[in-house]
Amino acid sequence: MRLSTRQWHILVATDYTEAARYGIKAAAALASAVDGRISVVAVEPHGEAAATGVAAAADAPTSEELNRLRRWAAPELGTHPSSFAIKYGLPGIEISRYAEQSEADLVIMVRKRRSKMSRALSGDTVDSVVRRSVVPCLLVPPETVQLTGVVAALDGTDRGMVVFREALELATATGQPLAALTVEPLRANEPAVLAAQVPTGRSLLLQESVQGIMGGEAAAPVIIRRGDIVEQVLAEMRDRVGSVLAVGYHRGGPPGLIEAGSSGRRLLQQSPGPVLTVPL
């Protein structure tokens, strides 16, 4: 997100379903908090692009199609400055492509609950978008969420600190408390409660890095847990209802099933609340 130097540009993707309205609501709420502008994009699975994956010059939306999109989004958008676009082809490709072309700072989509079989048969649009996106994506559940904080899941690497910076941007802009979360491996015959009491050298360096990024501001707390990464992060988030989980997400790779992929993919599918994915 390039949020500190100019007005936020929030891109929200929709498929005209009732669940997708929660994405529009989230975009409107965020735009109100940061004085941002909103772009609404819908992807239609017809035209030459639907068969080839390559948009044709003739695949241009009609005024009737654009007016339909405006009318559909109007109840949630209210008076926010907004623009509208319709693309043709595969949603996972076209949404991420349009986000880059329109220089969006953030993509918002609704993360719908789907079975493993459903994802295997028809793919997962959210996973496809975040794997391709060059900007952070905020995935919200199909329900109203009252934000209560932002939690950045960190692995202690320098590259992972990009996640903390993006989480800090979101927390600062929305006025929410920020925390960092890291998971250390569980050692044999060692009580898990010792993780916070006796952190490893990696976690100590992580605490220093967090404090350095915060500068003169009050340092964000660093929560240390031990055990399986996904299980421990999910356990923490279940105790933080309404908090956004910020995770690093590797671009590229096969779509596949999220459960067979990285920790980021598993957390995206299983986290109980909103998830902010940060491209690595």
Side-chain angles (χ1 to χ4, degrees), residues 127-217:
D127 180 53
S128 183
V129 170
V130 298
R131 284 189 303 104
R132 292 180 171 89
S133 180
V134 297
V135 300
C137 298
L138 179 62
L139 298 317
V140 299
E143 58 190 25
T144 300
V145 176
Q146 183 65 43
L147 292 186
T148 59
V150 181
V151 178
L154 307 178
D155 62 3
T157 64
D158 290 340
R159 184 170 65 170
M161 294 309 294
V162 174
V163 177
F164 183 77
R165 291 186 176 89
E166 295 290 350
L168 176 59
E169 288 268 21
L170 182 62
T172 301
T174 57
Q176 298 297 330
L178 172 66
L181 170 63
T182 191
V183 180
E184 296 181 351
L186 186 62
R187 296 175 176 82
N189 302 318
E190 182 181 52
V193 70
L194 289 181
Q197 298 174 355
V198 188
T200 64
R202 180 187 72 90
S203 292
L204 290 174
L205 290 174
L206 179 61
Q207 291 174 328
E208 292 178 2
S209 297
V210 167
Q211 186 173 0
I213 292 175
M214 297 295 291
E217 302 179 20

Side-chain angles (χ1 to χ4, degrees), residues 175-265:
Q176 298 297 330
L178 172 66
L181 170 63
T182 191
V183 180
E184 296 181 351
L186 186 62
R187 296 175 176 82
N189 302 318
E190 182 181 52
V193 70
L194 289 181
Q197 298 174 355
V198 188
T200 64
R202 180 187 72 90
S203 292
L204 290 174
L205 290 174
L206 179 61
Q207 291 174 328
E208 292 178 2
S209 297
V210 167
Q211 186 173 0
I213 292 175
M214 297 295 291
E217 302 179 20
V222 177
I223 304 160
I224 304 172
R225 300 181 70 116
R226 279 192 179 153
D228 177 81
I229 293 175
V230 173
E231 290 179 0
Q232 292 301 313
V233 171
L234 291 176
E236 183 68 30
M237 297 311 296
R238 282 192 289 268
D239 292 336
R240 293 173 173 268
V241 178
S243 287
V244 176
L245 172 64
V247 299
Y249 215 85
H250 293 281
R251 298 185 64 224
L257 290 177
I258 291 179
E259 285 77 10
S262 67
S263 296
R265 289 187 184 183

Side-chain angles (χ1 to χ4, degrees), residues 114-136:
R114 302 178 63 197
S115 67
K116 294 181 183 179
M117 181 60 70
S118 175
R119 288 195 298 275
L121 293 175
S122 60
D124 192 294
T125 298
V126 165
D127 180 53
S128 183
V129 170
V130 298
R131 284 189 303 104
R132 292 180 171 89
S133 180
V134 297
V135 300

